[in-house]
């Protein structure tokens, strides 16, 4: 349930259209009922809207129009949203669903002791449209906002004045509204003060200490609030409880009057109570005197406590100084004793150290001698093991060399055999190849020889200086011609000159034993 800000009036007003409702209700906190007009359109509209947060009444030609709720029941309240209808349907009234806080100050109320007090009362109310939809048109057409305001003011003023007349001005402050926590605390305090006495019981030590501490706290509280009438807190508690019950009673009485009219009173709050300034000054002076007395008592207790604490501090300082001196003397004596014991321990330590060094040298000598023998034994064993390993290695190496040589010889023999076989096969293949190529080679050689002869004959035929003489030709002449062609090639390569060539040919002819042919080359 949302609440509006407090207001001292309850009103109703006309607004331009339904769309302006939220703005208008937000600006005017006293507004309960709005009567929206209908926009004038060039063409008639067949729809209308209802905003959220309002109870809406719709009329047809001025008569209240009913609709159906979710359960299908007939109701005068139209839900929020978009609705279709003929142009003669219109939203006639919008009633707020919010709870309204209505202030009703009552001035000049006289108390039981004839003191004038002002009481500010706030009433929280709402329209009961959820419980019974008929409450809304009843409130709109019968009660109205202004009528409700006047009824509330009259009823509340009468109730407050009757209440003030039954109380004294010192009791009237207790009727202010309090929270539930404060009311529960007051009730517990009242119940505690009302509890009957009990028989005394024997307390143990912890309970006695707790009781002493509680008495001390009570004494301190008395110093703070003053030693006024001990029944004042109890009376204040009763007044507070009375005020809470009074507001509840006022709420119940107002609901009995207004619920039949469709209005529910949610709460009655007594906000402020003001008494005349003279009475306020008297009450303030009383409180000031109590505070002054409490301050004086607290100051006296503080001064007395300060003296006691200073004495305690002096005594404690002296005690600590004595303890300090005693501890210093005892400490010095302990230091001397410890110094003597330290010197004695040092002498014993030196003797033990000398004995240990002597034993150490003897043991070191023994160990060194034993170590020398052990080292020699180890060396001999090592040398013997090395020799054994060497001989074994040599034997194994010889065996491995013999095995390797045998394997190598075997492999070489196999390789030689394989090479011989392959060589024979190669020779066989070469012989076969030569046998096949021999006739071809002879043919090629014969052809080359014929070419050389032709070249020699051509050379001799073209050489004007060559003179061939002889009794017969034939094979010898051909040999000389072939030789001469070969020598000409040599001469071209600058190996010999023409004279040497002629001499060689002559000697060849003579050496052949058949000088039937002679070749002379003129220079």
């Amino acid at each position: 349930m949302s609440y509006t800000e407090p207001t001292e009036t309850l009103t109703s007003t006309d607004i331009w259209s339904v769309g302006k409702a939220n703005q208008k209700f937000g600006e005017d906190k006293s507004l309960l009922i709005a009567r929206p007009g209908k926009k004038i359109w060039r063409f008639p509209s067949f729809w209308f809207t209802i905003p959220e947060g309002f109870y809406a009444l719709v009329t047809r030609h001025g008569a209240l129009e009913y609709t159906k709720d979710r359960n299908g029941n007939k109701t005068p309240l139209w839900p929020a949203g978009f609705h279709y209808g003929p142009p003669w349907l219109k939203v006639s009234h919008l009633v707020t669903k919010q709870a309204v806080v209505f202030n009703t100050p009552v001035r000049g109320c006289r108390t039981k002791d004839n003191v004038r007090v002002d009481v500010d009362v706030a009433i929280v109310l709402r329209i009961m449209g959820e419980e019974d939809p008929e409450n809304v048109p009843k409130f709109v057409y019968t009660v109205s906002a202004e009528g409700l305001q006047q009824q509330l003011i009259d009823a509340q003023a009468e109730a407050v004045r009757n209440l003030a007349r039954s109380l004294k001005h010192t009791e009237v402050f207790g009727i202010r509204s309090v929270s539930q926590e404060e009311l529960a605390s007051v009730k517990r305090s009242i119940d505690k003060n009302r509890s009957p006495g009990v028989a005394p019981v024997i307390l143990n030590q912890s309970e006695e200490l707790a009781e002493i501490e509680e008495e001390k706290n009570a004494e301190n509280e008395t110093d703070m609030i003053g030693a006024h009438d001990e029944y004042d807190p109890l009376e204040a508690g009763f007044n507070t409880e009375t005020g809470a019950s009074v507001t509840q009673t006022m709420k119940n009485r107002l609901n009995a009057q207004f619920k039949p009219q469709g209005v529910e009173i949610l709460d009655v709050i007594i906000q402020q109570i003001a008494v005349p300034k003279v009475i306020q000054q008297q009450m303030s002076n009383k409180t000031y005197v109590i505070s002054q007395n409490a301050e004086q008592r607290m100051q006296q207790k503080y001064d007395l406590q300060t003296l006691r604490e200073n004495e305690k501090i002096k005594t404690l300082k002296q005690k600590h100084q004595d303890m300090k001196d005693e501890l210093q003397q005892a400490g010095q004596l302990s230091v001397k004793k410890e110094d003597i014991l330290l010197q004695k321990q040092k002498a014993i330590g030196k003797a033990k150290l000398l004995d240990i060094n002597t034993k150490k040298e003897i043991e070191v000598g023994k160990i060194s001698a034993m170590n020398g023998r052990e080292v020699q034994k180890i060396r001999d064993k090592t040398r013997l093991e090395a020799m054994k390993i060497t001989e074994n290695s040599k034997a194994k190496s010889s065996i491995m060399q013999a095995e390797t040589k045998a394997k190598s010889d075997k492999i070489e023999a196999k390789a030689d055999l394989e090479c011989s076989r392959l060589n024979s096969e190669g020779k066989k293949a070469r012989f076969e190849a030569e046998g096949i190529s021999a006739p071809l080679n002879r043919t090629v050689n014969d052809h080359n020889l014929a070419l050389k002869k032709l070249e020699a004959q051509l050379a001799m035929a073209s050489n004007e200086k060559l003179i061939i003489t002889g009794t017969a030709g034939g094979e010898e002449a051909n040999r000389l011609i072939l030789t001469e062609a070969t020598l000409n090639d040599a001469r071209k390569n600058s190996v010999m000159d023409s004279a040497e060539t002629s001499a060689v040919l002559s000697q060849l002819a003579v050496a052949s034993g058949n000088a039937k042919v002679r070749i002379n080359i003129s220079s």
Side-chain angles (χ1 to χ4, degrees):
M1 177 66 70
S2 59
Y3 296 87
T4 62
E5 295 181 4
T7 178
E8 293 187 1
T9 59
L10 299 176
T11 61
S12 62
T13 186
D14 297 328
I15 59 176
W16 176 251
S17 65
V18 174
K20 299 292 184 179
N22 286 319
Q23 179 182 355
K24 189 64 177 178
F25 276 87
E27 295 172 352
D28 189 356
K29 306 303 180 183
S30 65
L31 187 59
L32 289 182
I33 304 171
R35 295 178 293 274
K38 191 166 186 179
K39 290 184 178 180
I40 300 174
W41 300 92
R42 179 177 298 178
F43 301 101
S45 61
F46 292 87
W47 56 270
F48 60 93
T49 59
I50 297 174
E52 292 282 351
F54 300 98
Y55 299 117
L57 300 181
V58 178
T59 60
R60 179 190 295 268
H61 299 299
L64 185 62
E65 181 72 10
Y66 282 78
T67 184
K68 290 185 178 181
D69 59 12
R70 295 179 181 177
N71 299 323
N73 298 324
K74 188 177 179 181
T75 176
L77 301 183
W78 288 63
F82 189 86
H83 299 275
Y84 289 100
W88 47 84
L89 285 181
K90 63 166 291 187
V91 180
S92 62
H93 295 84
L94 292 176
V95 181
T96 181
K97 291 183 179 180
Q98 288 185 318
V100 179
V101 182
F102 178 51
N103 289 336
T104 58
V106 182
R107 308 301 179 194
C109 300
R110 290 192 175 273
T111 62
K112 189 176 182 179
D113 50 358
N114 206 27
V115 175
R116 296 172 62 89
V117 296
D118 297 333
V119 182
D120 291 340
V121 181
I123 300 174
V124 183
L125 59 96
R126 72 177 185 90
I127 310 303
M128 299 170 61
E130 302 292 341
E131 291 79 355
D132 185 3
E134 293 294 339
N135 286 331
V136 177
K138 182 189 300 184
F139 172 72
V140 170
Y141 296 116
T142 305
V143 181
S144 76
E146 292 77 6
L148 177 62
Q149 173 183 340
Q150 190 59 44
Q151 291 185 54
L152 285 173
I153 291 174
D154 295 340
Q156 192 62 23
E158 181 182 0
V160 172
R161 291 182 189 280
N162 291 334
L163 175 62
R165 178 58 69 177
S166 64
L167 299 173
K168 295 181 180 181
H169 76 277
T170 56
E171 301 170 346
V172 76
F173 287 99
I175 66 174
R176 288 182 303 172
S177 298
V178 295
S179 63
Q180 294 298 323
E181 292 80 4
E182 185 178 357
L183 181 60
S185 175
V186 169
K187 288 182 177 179
R188 286 195 298 270
S189 177
I190 293 173
D191 293 339
K192 181 178 178 181
N193 291 325
R194 285 175 176 173
S195 60
V198 294
V201 295
I202 299 175
L203 302 177
N204 56 29
Q205 185 176 2
S206 60
E207 291 175 344
E208 290 178 356
L209 292 175
E211 187 176 356
I212 293 172
E213 185 67 23
E214 186 176 354
E215 291 177 357
K216 185 181 295 184
N217 292 335
E219 183 181 354
N220 292 335
E221 186 176 1
T222 301
D223 290 333
M224 289 298 296
I225 65 176
H228 51 276
D229 192 352
E230 61 180 357
Y231 293 102
D232 285 350
L234 184 61
E235 183 179 357
F238 277 117
N239 292 336
T240 302
E241 187 178 17
T242 302
S245 61
V246 164
T247 55
Q248 184 64 35
T249 302
M250 294 171 66
K251 172 185 170 183
N252 295 335
R253 183 175 53 79
L254 290 174
N255 275 326
Q257 178 181 350
F258 289 99
K259 273 189 176 181
Q261 303 179 42
V263 179
E264 181 185 8
I265 307 302
L266 299 177
D267 198 4
V268 176
I269 305 170
I270 300 177
Q271 295 177 314
Q272 187 175 2
I273 298 174
V275 298
K277 291 184 178 180
V278 176
I279 304 298
Q280 290 182 7
Q281 187 65 36
Q282 291 175 358
M283 297 173 71
S284 176
N285 291 337
K286 181 180 178 181
T287 305
Y288 178 72
V289 171
I290 293 173
S291 301
Q292 267 192 334
N293 294 335
E295 181 184 6
Q296 291 177 0
R297 283 191 294 272
M298 290 296 293
Q299 186 63 39
Q300 291 174 359
K301 288 186 67 175
Y302 172 76
D303 295 338
L304 182 60
Q305 187 69 21
T306 302
L307 292 174
R308 289 176 182 174
E309 293 299 326
N310 289 335
E311 291 296 330
K312 287 181 180 179
I313 291 172
K314 289 181 181 179
T315 303
L316 188 61
K317 284 183 177 180
Q318 185 62 39
K319 183 178 179 181
H320 286 174
Q321 185 63 37
D322 296 340
M323 291 175 64
K324 178 181 176 182
D325 295 338
E326 292 178 359
L327 290 174
Q328 285 181 348
Q329 293 177 1
Q332 291 176 358
L333 181 60
S334 298
V335 168
K336 291 181 180 179
K337 290 181 180 180
E338 293 296 331
D339 190 26
I340 294 172
L341 291 175
L342 179 62
Q343 297 298 329
K344 182 178 179 181
Q345 292 296 328
K346 284 183 178 180
I348 295 171
K350 287 181 180 179
K352 288 185 177 181
L353 183 61
L354 181 60
D355 186 22
I356 290 170
N357 288 332
T358 304
K359 290 181 179 180
K360 182 184 74 173
E361 291 176 357
I362 295 172
E363 292 295 329
V364 168
K366 291 180 179 180
I367 292 170
S368 298
M370 293 175 66
N371 288 340
R373 290 195 297 272
E374 292 295 330
V375 168
Q376 188 61 37
K377 288 181 181 180
I378 292 170
R379 286 178 179 175
D380 295 339
K381 288 182 180 181
T382 303
R383 190 177 296 110
L384 181 60
E385 291 295 329
M387 292 175 64
K388 287 181 180 180
I389 293 169
T390 302
E391 294 299 328
N392 290 332
S393 299
K394 288 181 179 179
K396 290 180 179 180
S397 176
S398 299
I399 293 170
M400 291 177 68
Q401 287 179 356
E403 293 176 352
T404 304
K405 186 175 180 183
K407 291 180 180 180
S408 176
D409 293 341
K410 186 176 180 180
I411 292 170
E412 287 179 357
K414 288 182 179 180
D416 291 339
L417 179 61
E418 186 67 21
C419 288
S420 299
R421 185 179 65 78
L422 295 174
N423 192 14
S424 62
E425 291 178 355
K427 287 181 179 180
K428 182 179 178 181
R430 189 182 66 183
F431 292 154
E432 290 177 353
E434 288 179 353
I436 294 171
S437 62
L440 300 176
N441 289 334
R442 283 195 298 271
T443 302
V444 172
N445 292 332
D446 292 342
H447 177 70
N448 291 333
L449 180 61
L451 290 176
K452 290 291 184 181
K453 288 180 179 180
L454 291 174
E455 290 177 359
Q457 290 175 2
L458 180 60
M460 286 188 294
S462 59
N463 190 352
E464 297 176 354
K465 296 181 181 181
L466 178 63
I467 300 172
I468 300 174
T469 61
T471 58
E475 185 178 355
E476 289 79 4
N478 291 335
R479 289 196 186 118
L480 289 175
I481 291 170
L482 180 61
T483 304
E484 194 269 341
T486 303
L487 293 176
N488 285 336
D489 290 338
R491 189 177 62 186
K492 290 178 182 179
N493 295 327
S494 300
V495 176
M496 58 181 64
D497 54 12
S498 60
E500 291 176 348
T501 301
S502 180
V504 170
L505 291 174
S506 299
Q507 291 176 5
L508 179 61
V510 173
S512 63
N514 189 1
K516 294 178 180 181
V517 179
R518 293 184 181 275
I519 299 173
N520 293 318
I521 300 173
S522 62
S523 59

